[in-house]
Amino acid sequence: MHAREPLHGASGSAYVTIDGNRYLWMQLIDFEATFDKKKTEVGRLGSKQAGNRSGYGVGKFKAKAYYNTDIFRDVIMEYIKRGRDIYFDIQITNDDPNSTAGRHTTIFKDCNLDGLVLAKLDVNKETLEEDISGTFDDVEMPEKFNVLEGMR
């Protein structure tokens, strides 16, 4: 692999769409989404080892962001005050012009927050940050990485 191929972590963008309003999530420090498959152990006749059968799965995300926007607090406040649980989409794009891997975009659909910090102070911090986590119910990948030279 050429040294230019690993992606620079800050080369990309993040957008959040809440109630039809699209926001550039420029406060984002890091983001990671995972999909955990739930499996059932299956006994097999003639074998001492159980097999594993995939069933449903759970999509989760976690992020760290600078504490300087209330777009997600508005979502939580709507739930607290009116009982309305708001679902939203997150679009993450990796785009490092130095890598031949190209652009990679993933859209996480029907995201739902686990919870959120409502207020924060810390006299020992120069910048305030917050952890954000939640789940997603669907995912799309409209842009995929290129196959790098030497992979085939």
Side-chain angles (χ1 to χ4, degrees):
M1 182 177 76
H2 296 288
R4 69 177 173 263
E5 299 305 0
L7 301 178
H8 187 277
S11 295
S13 60
Y15 288 89
V16 178
T17 303
I18 303 170
D19 277 344
N21 297 307
R22 191 168 193 239
Y23 303 95
L24 175 60
W25 195 5
M26 62 186 179
Q27 297 82 359
L28 191 64
I29 297 169
D30 67 38
F31 179 90
E32 182 176 81
T34 60
F35 183 80
D36 297 325
K37 289 172 36 176
K38 303 300 179 188
K39 296 182 180 181
T40 303
E41 286 188 6
V42 179
R44 298 180 294 174
L45 188 62
S47 176
K48 299 293 185 199
Q49 182 172 337
N52 294 283
R53 182 181 179 132
S54 296
Y56 64 92
V58 177
K60 299 177 186 177
F61 71 88
K62 62 182 178 178
K64 183 179 292 291
Y66 292 111
Y67 176 79
N68 64 359
T69 181
D70 286 329
I71 62 171
F72 291 116
R73 268 172 284 289
D74 289 344
V75 168
I76 292 295
M77 290 302 293
E78 183 70 15
Y79 183 72
I80 292 169
K81 296 296 184 184
R82 293 174 192 78
R84 181 173 165 243
D85 205 5
I86 297 176
Y87 291 79
F88 54 93
D89 296 344
I90 298 173
Q91 177 180 315
I92 301 293
T93 299
N94 302 100
D95 189 13
D96 184 345
N98 295 304
S99 174
T100 61
R103 287 172 55 98
H104 179 268
T105 298
T106 310
I107 303 169
F108 302 94
K109 304 286 212 164
D110 296 323
C111 298
N112 189 261
L113 294 173
D114 291 336
L116 197 68
V117 171
L118 293 179
K120 187 171 190 167
L121 291 171
D122 188 335
V123 298
N124 294 315
K125 298 284 184 177
E126 289 189 29
T127 60
L128 292 177
E129 300 171 355
E130 63 182 320
D131 293 319
I132 302 167
S133 65
T135 56
F136 61 90
D137 292 345
D138 198 6
V139 62
E140 296 175 5
M141 201 178 323
E143 292 181 297
K144 297 180 182 180
F145 288 126
N146 297 321
V147 175
L148 298 176
E149 178 185 331
M151 289 181 67
R152 291 187 192 187

